[in-house]
């Protein structure tokens, strides 16, 4: 099991109590804290975990490109496998955005597949798609905490995560490898070695990408995908597979016209509102000069701990009263585009 060494600030005081501001210089904003992060605190996102979705140009002929980051192991890997297979087989080419429900989700897929307003011929799915179980909506973890006096906290765990102390809306929450997750079914054992095991599950924050499905026990294949465009619908957590998040181009989806059909699907008289999707590609498959490059700020870093505390307790000049805490979805993990090698 790999060892991850975190400071006490990163693990035990990610969002500490409000304290007095420094008398001299104004407190930095969260963005300023991120801008000052050391280069080694940024983590490269593999191009194998990036998807490039190209929409049809807008009415003025402008290119519309959306970048999706897929979740890493151990989260949702069966669905991630399917999404890559669908992309590499060309199945996604020529599908469309079929549903835009205000303050909820944008959904895309075959306009004739699982669409209550359409009864046309469905696209044939490629062979090799995995069928996932509901238990795969989350992932197991096991940790051992050693907290000796006057030394950094040693954290041994799989997968690594840092806890958000005072977000209890839907139970405990944490950040694991740069992703917002919930923590459930925790079994703790007392003693000098503080051990625990349980399950982590991705949560429905703004911009997260999930898999559309029918009624249980269906878990969806990845042919229908959606992203959250409104207030975080946390009631969906553990009820549907989350597979990634949009890290660039969200404005191309969140600004689309809302559907007037059931659940925000476009009705028959709104077929002209469906936005065609020209292609969805795995970034690693694109020509080398066209592959996008991104990094995220390590959620186990000192800078992220300072950033999260600043998000919870804004003290930069505009703010009057620090909130004293933050919901997991109000601490978005910073992601940046970088020059390709």
């Amino acid at each position: 099991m790999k060892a991850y060494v975190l400071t006490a600030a990163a693990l035990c005081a990610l969002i500490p109590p409000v304290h007095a501001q420094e008398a001299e210089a104004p407190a930095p904003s969260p963005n300023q804290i991120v801008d000052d992060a050391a280069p080694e605190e940024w983590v490269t996102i593999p191009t194998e975990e990036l998807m490039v979705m190209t929409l049809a140009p807008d009415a003025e002929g402008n290119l519309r490109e959306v970048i999706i980051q897929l979740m890493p192991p151990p989260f949702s890997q069966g669905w991630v496998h399917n999404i890559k297979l669908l992309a590499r087989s060309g199945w996604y080419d020529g599908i469309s955005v079929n549903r835009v429900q205000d303050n909820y989700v944008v959904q895309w897929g075959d306009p004739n597949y699982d669409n209550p307003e359409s009864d046309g011929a469905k696209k044939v799915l490629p062979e090799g798609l995995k069928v996932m179980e509901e238990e795969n909506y989350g992932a197991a973890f096991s940790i051992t905490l050693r907290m000796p006096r006057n030394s950094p906290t040693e954290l041994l765990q799989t997968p690594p995560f840092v806890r958000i102390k005072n977000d209890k809306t839907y139970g405990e929450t944490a950040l694991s490898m740069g992703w917002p997750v919930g923590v459930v079914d925790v079994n703790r054992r007392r003693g000098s070695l503080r051990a625990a095991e349980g399950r982590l599950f991705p949560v429905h924050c703004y911009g997260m990408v999930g898999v559309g499905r029918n009624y249980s026990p269906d878990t969806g294949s990845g042919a229908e995908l959606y992203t959250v465009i409104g207030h975080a619908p946390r009631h969906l957590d553990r009820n549907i597979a989350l597979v990634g998040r949009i890290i660039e181009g969200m404005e191309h989806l969140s600004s689309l016209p809302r559907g007037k059909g059931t659940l925000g699907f476009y009705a028959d008289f709104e077929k002209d509102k469906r936005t065609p999707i020209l292609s969805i590609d795995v970034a690693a498959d694109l020509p080398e000069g066209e592959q996008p490059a991104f990094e995220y700020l390590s959620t186990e870093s000192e800078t992220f701990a300072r950033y999260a505390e600043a998000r919870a307790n804004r003290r930069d000049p505009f703010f009057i009263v620090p909130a004293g805490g933050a919901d997991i979805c109000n601490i978005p993990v910073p992601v940046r585009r970088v020059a390709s090698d």
Side-chain angles (χ1 to χ4, degrees), residues 122-137:
K122 300 175 183 178
K123 295 186 74 170
V124 178
L125 294 170
E127 295 183 0
L129 295 176
K130 294 184 177 182
V131 178
M132 304 300 293
E133 302 294 331
E134 292 173 355
E135 66 181 19
N136 299 124
Y137 291 154

Side-chain angles (χ1 to χ4, degrees), residues 37-108:
E40 60 270 20
E41 293 183 299
W42 292 91
V43 181
T44 299
I45 301 174
T47 52
E48 186 67 21
E49 295 177 5
L50 294 175
M51 307 291 292
V52 180
M53 180 164 68
T54 304
L55 308 180
D58 64 18
E60 298 176 351
N62 298 311
L63 176 69
R64 290 187 287 184
E65 190 174 87
V66 177
I67 308 296
I68 300 170
Q69 178 190 3
L70 297 175
M71 298 200 76
F75 299 110
S76 306
Q77 290 306 287
W79 293 282
V80 168
H81 162 86
N82 288 352
I83 289 168
K84 292 179 181 179
L85 176 59
L86 288 160
R88 285 174 165 144
S89 69
W91 190 91
Y92 286 132
D93 299 355
I95 62 173
S96 61
V97 175
N98 305 317
R99 175 189 181 192
V100 183
Q101 188 170 358
D102 191 48
N103 196 33
Y104 201 49
V105 299
V106 170
Q107 186 166 323
W108 57 93

Side-chain angles (χ1 to χ4, degrees), residues 5-246:
V5 180
L6 306 181
T7 65
L11 178 66
C12 300
L14 186 57
I15 304 178
V18 178
H19 55 75
Q21 299 186 33
E22 296 292 336
E24 303 286 332
S29 69
N31 286 345
Q32 290 172 322
I33 293 171
V34 172
D35 289 342
D36 291 337
E40 60 270 20
E41 293 183 299
W42 292 91
V43 181
T44 299
I45 301 174
T47 52
E48 186 67 21
E49 295 177 5
L50 294 175
M51 307 291 292
V52 180
M53 180 164 68
T54 304
L55 308 180
D58 64 18
E60 298 176 351
N62 298 311
L63 176 69
R64 290 187 287 184
E65 190 174 87
V66 177
I67 308 296
I68 300 170
Q69 178 190 3
L70 297 175
M71 298 200 76
F75 299 110
S76 306
Q77 290 306 287
W79 293 282
V80 168
H81 162 86
N82 288 352
I83 289 168
K84 292 179 181 179
L85 176 59
L86 288 160
R88 285 174 165 144
S89 69
W91 190 91
Y92 286 132
D93 299 355
I95 62 173
S96 61
V97 175
N98 305 317
R99 175 189 181 192
V100 183
Q101 188 170 358
D102 191 48
N103 196 33
Y104 201 49
V105 299
V106 170
Q107 186 166 323
W108 57 93
D110 180 357
N112 296 319
Y113 182 82
D114 192 21
N115 184 344
E117 273 76 37
S118 181
D119 57 359
K122 300 175 183 178
K123 295 186 74 170
V124 178
L125 294 170
E127 295 183 0
L129 295 176
K130 294 184 177 182
V131 178
M132 304 300 293
E133 302 294 331
E134 292 173 355
E135 66 181 19
N136 299 124
Y137 291 154
F141 75 87
S142 177
I143 63 174
T144 301
L145 299 177
R146 293 182 177 89
M147 303 180 69
R149 293 179 178 271
N150 303 318
S151 65
T153 297
E154 183 180 22
L155 177 62
L156 306 177
Q157 53 186 45
T158 304
F161 68 92
V162 281
R163 197 179 307 279
I164 303 298
K165 291 183 64 176
N166 54 350
D167 173 21
K168 301 282 187 171
T169 307
Y170 285 87
E172 295 188 68
T173 55
L175 289 149
S176 178
M177 298 178 290
W179 295 86
V181 295
V183 186
V184 293
D185 301 330
V186 178
N187 178 25
R188 293 184 176 87
R189 286 175 285 168
R190 297 182 180 275
S192 58
L193 294 181
R194 296 176 54 191
E197 52 190 29
R199 293 186 65 78
L200 303 178
F201 59 91
V203 300
H204 278 77
C205 295
Y206 182 85
M208 291 291 285
V209 174
V211 175
R213 67 168 177 84
N214 286 312
Y215 290 119
S216 176
D218 179 55
T219 61
S221 66
E224 291 281 321
L225 297 173
Y226 65 89
T227 188
V228 176
I229 62 167
H231 184 74
R234 294 287 309 280
H235 58 285
L236 295 177
D237 296 351
R238 291 186 289 169
N239 286 286
I240 200 163
L242 284 170
V243 292
R245 62 183 167 203
I246 291 177

